[in-house]
Amino acid sequence: MTLTVLGIESSCDDTAAAVVTGAREVLSSVVSGQTALHAGFGGVVPEIAARAHAERLDLCVEMALEQAGVGLRDLDAIAVTAGPGLIGGVMAGVMLAKGLAAGTGLPLVGVNHLAGHALTPRLTDGIGFPYLMLLVSGGHCQFLRVSGPEEFTRLGGTIDDAPGEAFDKVAKLLGLPQPGGPSVEAEAARGDPAAVPLPRPLLDRPGCDLSFSGLKTAVLRVRDQAVAAEGGLRDGLRADICASFQRAVAEVLAEKTRRALAEADVPVVAVAGGVAANRTIRAALERVTAEAGVRFLAPPLALCTDNAAMIAWAGIERFRLGHRDGMDLAARPRWPLDQNAAPMLGAGKRGAKA
């Protein structure tokens, strides 16, 4: 039987709904972004994001069903991001999904947002297990050996900032608009990537862990030195800083991917997350995989960034394994994929951070 599942995503600042089938057909995918709402704050404001999700979720679901040409009675299940993420947004999505499930009698499937990203290559390209996933986004960065729909082994990850977060902060330091990834990449196209010496954090240590906080701080020092010496930041220097920063991130990710490949022993390397759209980073990863003789796979950008199609697909994978959730499904701000790995960023009352 071909399953038809509604997916709901609201973990950060994108409100999304999608309808996906078990035959890997994306019948609809609706994403309502909030960039304009947060533009004046230099980053995502959780309270504003949560309110926007509450206002938009039902509209996105209605639009997704309409575009897919299906009604609630045509669905087999409802899948929803239950974490990790900004808790207000996650709660908004979970409560809507519970309401729909209660009103229709449809099964409810809670999905780990990171699993949605990690399983996207299964939706887009139908690849088998195992494969290596580099999840590289604004809030997350980790290497995962994906051996099954719920079998994830973390080989390494960031011990501080995620690369997307570093791009955003560097853009803010240099007076560039948000989101920082596209702004820094556009500015870097005019610069010299060898002009500004910047560190390559953790390359002198074994393993696949990453760090981007020190790199961000190094950019801050360069900026402050230029401002002190010249009274401001020349456009040419801004472009050189962006190009040098971008190259540093690309080289770190490439080397760590090389190490993760040696450890994972898989035929495919897949990448997901908004940072995967960066052309310099993608080219560096493609060179590493070509040297290793393995396939490189990057889903379309619309399915790399936060979306509900990946949540619907991850829900299908869990549904096929027999998983169903009840009305006690909880929204979780923290939810590591590899439950056996030690927390990289510590833990607290709400559980391991990563």
Side-chain angles (χ1 to χ4, degrees):
M1 183 181 68
T2 298
L3 298 171
T4 303
V5 172
L6 169 68
I8 299 171
E9 155 63 19
S10 57
S11 65
C12 190
D13 63 336
D14 285 320
T15 309
V19 178
V20 175
T21 74
R24 297 174 33 228
E25 299 172 294
V26 180
L27 301 183
S28 65
S29 182
V30 175
V31 180
S32 177
Q34 302 179 11
T35 301
L37 295 178
H38 305 279
F41 300 95
V44 177
V45 181
E47 175 65 16
I48 293 176
R51 289 178 180 273
H53 287 308
E55 294 171 357
R56 301 178 181 186
L57 273 164
D58 58 340
L59 301 176
C60 287
V61 167
E62 186 177 7
M63 193 178 302
L65 293 172
E66 182 180 348
Q67 290 183 5
V70 301
L72 289 171
R73 64 183 178 277
D74 300 312
L75 301 174
D76 295 293
I78 298 170
V80 61
T81 296
L86 300 177
I87 190 60
V90 177
M91 287 178 63
V94 168
M95 293 306 293
L96 174 65
K98 286 182 179 180
L100 290 173
T104 61
L106 289 168
L108 177 67
V109 183
V111 171
N112 186 309
H113 174 83
L114 303 180
H117 281 302
L119 295 172
T120 296
R122 300 259 298 158
L123 167 63
T124 58
D125 292 79
I127 64 173
F129 301 112
Y131 55 90
L132 177 66
M133 164 59 67
L134 169 56
L135 176 54
V136 55
S137 67
H140 306 279
C141 184
Q142 52 189 300
F143 291 100
L144 297 164
R145 189 181 194 273
V146 185
S147 304
E150 295 189 324
E151 297 179 51
F152 306 98
T153 303
R154 193 188 70 215
L155 304 179
T158 179
I159 63 174
D160 44 53
D161 291 351
E165 182 181 0
F167 268 93
D168 286 344
K169 290 180 177 178
V170 165
K172 189 174 182 180
L173 289 174
L174 300 179
L176 296 172
Q178 298 292 328
S183 297
V184 170
E185 183 176 14
E187 188 72 9
R190 303 190 299 112
D192 178 3
V196 180
L198 293 173
R200 272 53 172 172
L202 297 191
L203 286 192
D204 58 340
R205 303 183 194 177
C208 303
D209 287 344
L210 307 106
S211 170
F212 297 100
S213 180
L215 181 56
K216 173 195 66 184
T217 303
V219 170
L220 174 61
R221 290 198 195 98
V222 172
R223 185 206 68 176
D224 288 349
Q225 290 169 0
V227 170
E230 303 180 25
L233 197 62
R234 293 180 288 104
D235 282 345
L237 178 57
R238 191 198 321 267
D240 288 344
I241 293 174
C242 287
S244 300
F245 167 78
Q246 182 175 261
R247 173 182 278 187
V249 173
E251 290 182 357
V252 168
L253 288 173
E255 174 56 29
K256 296 295 183 171
T257 299
R258 188 176 289 109
R259 297 180 190 180
L261 257 177
E263 187 175 342
D265 187 26
V266 292
V268 178
V269 173
V271 62
V275 179
N278 183 284
R279 289 183 292 272
T280 297
I281 292 174
R282 186 176 294 206
L285 297 175
E286 288 176 339
R287 286 192 295 271
V288 169
T289 54
E291 292 168 3
V294 301
R295 181 183 176 189
F296 176 78
L297 180 59
L301 178 58
L303 295 179
C304 273
T305 53
D306 289 352
N307 65 90
M310 70 179 189
I311 302 304
W313 177 256
I316 288 172
E317 297 257 28
R318 294 198 78 218
F319 190 87
R320 285 171 169 167
L321 293 176
H323 289 286
R324 311 289 187 273
D325 288 290
M327 289 298 141
D328 58 347
L329 175 65
R332 303 171 61 173
R334 301 173 184 173
W335 190 0
L337 275 181
D338 187 347
Q339 299 291 321
N340 298 316
M344 298 189 64
L345 302 177
K349 293 181 180 179
R350 298 175 182 174
K353 293 182 181 178

